[in-house]
Amino acid sequence: MALQIKERIGSMVGPLIVILVDLYGWIAFIQRAGSPLTIIPAAVLTFFDLLLLQRRPQEILSFSKFADHSFSRFWLMMGAKFAEEEAENGLPALISTASGTIIELGPGSGCQVSRYDPKKVTKIYGLEPCQGLHAQLRENVKKAGLSDVYTIVPCGVEDVECLRKHGVDREAFDTVLSVQVLCSVPNQKETVAALYRLLKPGGQMIVYEHVKSRDLISSFMQTVYMLVWPYLLANCHLDRDTTQTLREAGKWAKVLVTFNMHPAPRSIYNQDVDFATLATQDPAFNKYLKSNSQLDFSNPQAVQFRTDIDDKNIHYARQNILLNNLQSRIRPLHTKDTHPLIPLDKLGIQSITFTQTNPPFYPTTTSLLASASLKSRPPHSACTGSPTEMVTPGGETHFASRLIAESLHYKTRCQWYTTMLGKLSSVATVVEELRSRGIGNWAVREFVQGQRTRRWGVGWSFSGRRPGEEAARGVGAGVERRLLPVSVERGFEVKGKGVEEVGERVQGVLGGLEGVRCEFRREIEAGVGFAKGNVWSRAARRRMMREGMEGDGGGGDGGSGDEEEWALGFKIQLRMSGEGGGTDVNVRWLLGRDSVLFESFCGMLKRQIS
């Protein structure tokens, strides 16, 4: 609680500090390491610059022009500092997803240009009306090696003639990028609509913005700051509902919104898990619940096997297990780095539920020290990891590769193989190896620890059971979409039909298909079902007729429900839609190896009940 209060105070005091800096014009910077701190009043410098050097005293009397000059000077001094702070969150990874022909709204002095991935970029048009920032913008574009593909357009998106003059046309861009600019444009809705018109069909708009807080106290403080904030920082508004404006700009295939990218939440466990509700939904889960609605960990059949190659670690592990009276639940095993990572045969057990590994990050001690030397800030705590915990030959990707190789030997003797990864680049390496080995059922999950630390988990299975969307694709913007497994959820709306009517239609459609078994519960408007294959196509129906399957009792005989008997498992959930009395239909892929079969089923269901 104390940490949460501290973070809330920090988020509210931060804008006040910026206001004071801009109000008094006190900008501090260090020219060289070890030199004295130089304090310069930026507003005063702007005044004398316009009066004596540029000899344009009339612009001093114009509030808007003087504010533009002052803000340019302010941003040239402080922009790099803000960009450094943003490097700690997901913004660099977000910008790196921009691809093709790109239009960047308000690049300023070019603090973000180094974050583009040159391999993905065809052409960039930077719309920057503030002339005082162009020189620094050109310099940063040159440093990023983008001079050949970057064009500075000296106007805003509302100036159609200027855009045409520089080759900016409607429906010509693959990506629109806006980093903290939509907060300050005069008419946000018109600007966003204009940006939407610039996108090609299938294009993407990437927006990073401070918006109206969902927290009551923070929202109040934003209102207070807004009394002076826009006048001091180039019309910047802290409390705009930018998310809603973007949603209303046009028809989007997908909208992904992430709040509080920086700082990361102190705890990802904001709410307790409601085990009692889960127990009502799953009778098998209910038997593991105690009378106080908490999980019962006393099941004697649940045994953990813990392996380690370090003598001291094993010694202390055994002591802790003994002190906590967990000898029947946790069994430590001393192995060597040349032994199998999953010693099922040595343990004398046939199968396990899952593996959980946290491999050392670094391939050598030298690489560990080199990585530490690149850190720009001192650590907040001392690293107490032993060499065996920090270093392994080949690093974490080699460790994961060994695990994949062993999983190909054991296959379904383990339901899920998982490994933690400490480097984002390792995720691509591991997923690509899974694909090359023909493993088609995997999951990628991001874990946020504290303020800045991120880790990634990769899991894979040789069964056909499909994990949920959040478990399999729960990652931030830094992970490329191509590394994620196929989405297991499809949804559509049936307009003008209520939930009860659609539920009856679903029952009728599935009940009339041979080779499909579905139990649809009307009281919760949801059902789980299985299909033996594509039994809904015309070719399938003709084949069934030839084989004499027609008339065997509609809805297909159930079968045992064993995993290998069914080609597809699914869950259908119906909910009332927000508008027009329609019904939202969500189909979740539960079981199967063929994503095309799942897509075909969803398409058939949509056609039949719409």
Side-chain angles (χ1 to χ4, degrees), residues 251-325:
K251 295 181 179 180
W252 300 103
K254 184 176 182 181
V255 177
L256 177 63
V257 180
T258 302
F259 288 97
N260 298 325
M261 288 181 66
H262 178 63
R266 173 66 64 178
S267 173
I268 61 175
Y269 306 106
N270 294 323
Q271 298 179 348
D272 291 335
V273 178
D274 189 349
F275 294 120
T277 300
L278 292 175
T280 61
Q281 298 174 359
D282 187 352
F285 179 77
N286 185 47
K287 64 182 181 181
Y288 295 107
L289 212 60
K290 295 191 292 187
S291 58
N292 62 354
S293 297
Q294 294 300 308
L295 283 178
D296 184 1
F297 291 99
S298 62
N299 178 15
Q301 295 180 346
V303 179
Q304 300 179 29
F305 297 92
R306 300 284 180 169
T307 66
D308 205 297
I309 63 173
D310 187 84
D311 295 339
K312 188 177 291 186
N313 289 348
I314 286 290
H315 170 72
Y316 285 117
R318 286 172 175 160
Q319 280 191 334
N320 288 327
I321 292 170
L322 184 63
L323 289 171
N324 290 279
N325 194 29

Side-chain angles (χ1 to χ4, degrees), residues 26-188:
W26 297 108
I27 311 300
F29 65 95
I30 300 177
Q31 293 177 333
R32 294 179 181 271
S35 69
L37 191 67
T38 306
I39 301 177
I40 300 177
V44 174
L45 278 179
T46 300
F47 177 86
F48 285 108
D49 181 38
L50 290 173
L51 181 65
L52 300 177
L53 299 180
Q54 300 188 41
R55 297 182 180 180
R56 289 185 286 177
Q58 69 278 9
E59 295 190 8
I60 298 175
L61 301 177
S62 170
F63 180 83
S64 60
K65 292 183 178 179
F66 183 80
D68 283 345
H69 285 296
S70 183
F71 180 76
S72 295
R73 187 179 299 276
F74 169 80
W75 193 254
L76 287 172
M77 292 181 175
M78 295 297 292
K81 175 63 177 176
F82 293 150
E84 180 183 340
E85 293 294 326
E86 291 162 351
E88 302 292 344
N89 60 28
L91 181 58
L94 189 65
I95 294 175
S96 69
T97 63
S99 61
T101 304
I102 303 166
I103 191 161
E104 181 178 1
L105 186 66
S109 57
C111 297
Q112 311 296 344
V113 294
S114 63
R115 292 167 176 168
Y116 285 110
D117 185 346
K119 298 178 182 177
K120 300 178 182 178
V121 172
T122 304
K123 183 73 176 175
I124 306 175
Y125 292 83
L127 275 57
E128 181 50 68
C130 189
Q131 302 279 347
L133 297 174
H134 285 189
Q136 186 63 48
L137 174 57
R138 289 191 186 92
E139 184 177 339
N140 286 330
V141 167
K142 184 178 180 180
K143 288 180 180 178
L146 297 172
S147 298
D148 293 339
V149 297
Y150 201 105
T151 298
I152 299 176
V153 182
C155 65
V157 72
E158 69 283 348
D159 192 338
V160 178
E161 290 301 320
C162 178
L163 296 182
R164 288 175 180 170
K165 180 180 177 181
H166 289 82
V168 178
D169 297 319
R170 296 180 62 165
E171 296 188 1
F173 293 88
D174 301 290
T175 302
V176 169
L177 174 69
S178 174
V179 178
Q180 292 188 339
V181 177
L182 295 179
C183 59
S184 59
V185 295
N187 191 316
Q188 189 183 74

Side-chain angles (χ1 to χ4, degrees), residues 182 188 207 209-211 240-247:
L182 295 179
Q188 189 183 74
V207 177
E209 197 60 78
H210 44 224
V211 297
R240 286 179 170 175
D241 192 357
T242 307
T243 304
Q244 187 62 27
T245 302
L246 290 168
R247 290 183 185 276

Side-chain angles (χ1 to χ4, degrees), residues 15-27:
L16 180 59
I17 294 173
V18 177
I19 285 178
L20 293 175
V21 168
D22 199 53
L23 180 63
Y24 295 105
W26 297 108
I27 311 300

Side-chain angles (χ1 to χ4, degrees), residues 492-512:
F492 55 91
E493 182 184 5
V494 181
K495 295 183 178 180
K497 294 183 180 180
V499 172
E500 185 174 349
E501 182 181 356
V502 174
E504 291 177 355
R505 184 62 177 156
V506 169
Q507 283 185 298
V509 170
L510 299 182

